[in-house]
Amino acid sequence: QVRLAESGGGLAQPGGSLRLSCVASGLNFKLHTMNWYRQAPGKERELNASITGDGATNYAASMKGRFTISRDNIWNRVYLKMDSLKPEDTAVYFCSVNYRGNVYWGKGTQVTVSS
């Protein structure tokens, strides 16, 4: 069974940084594109960034230049480094993977950006 578990969220000041981590199990991790999404209160879940198994990345326009996605195929982890954080980045952040036609999600990690 595919399992995803996020960590690394918390409270950050505007302009600060956080690094989120997601550990995956139950799949051949290096073969699959991993995604980071976020969902702010009252808003739909939106894609932040994706990374293929061999490291090609793609970013939402609003995150490009501030967020960096990376992965470690030995430890089955995907990361999201977030810099220059803004209050509007406050959201629950989820990692996800499409595995054999099903989309799997972690439980999410809360990021709050506030002074």
Side-chain angles (χ1 to χ4, degrees):
Q1 183 177 0
V2 175
R3 296 184 189 275
L4 303 172
E6 303 93 339
S7 61
L11 176 64
Q13 292 192 339
S17 298
L18 284 173
R19 190 178 80 150
L20 308 182
S21 176
C22 171
V23 61
S25 61
L27 76 170
N28 193 341
F29 181 78
K30 64 183 179 183
L31 297 181
H32 298 282
T33 296
M34 300 298 297
N35 309 294
W36 280 102
Y37 283 76
R38 71 183 182 187
Q39 188 165 20
K43 294 189 177 181
E44 292 187 357
R45 198 168 293 190
E46 61 174 348
L47 178 65
N48 293 356
S50 298
I51 185 166
T52 66
D54 59 4
T57 59
N58 190 40
Y59 296 91
S62 60
M63 288 86 179
K64 201 167 185 178
R66 296 193 302 123
F67 290 8
T68 304
I69 190 171
S70 61
R71 65 190 294 156
D72 183 332
N73 286 342
I74 294 177
W75 292 102
N76 288 5
R77 289 183 178 270
V78 59
Y79 303 99
L80 187 68
K81 177 74 185 311
M82 305 185 294
D83 297 312
S84 304
L85 284 165
K86 305 175 182 180
E88 50 264 43
D89 293 320
T90 295
V92 180
Y93 285 72
F94 300 88
C95 66
S96 78
V97 63
N98 188 323
Y99 178 71
R100 296 184 177 178
N102 296 310
V103 178
Y104 293 85
W105 300 90
K107 293 183 179 180
T109 186
Q110 175 71 48
V111 171
T112 302
V113 183
S114 175
S115 56

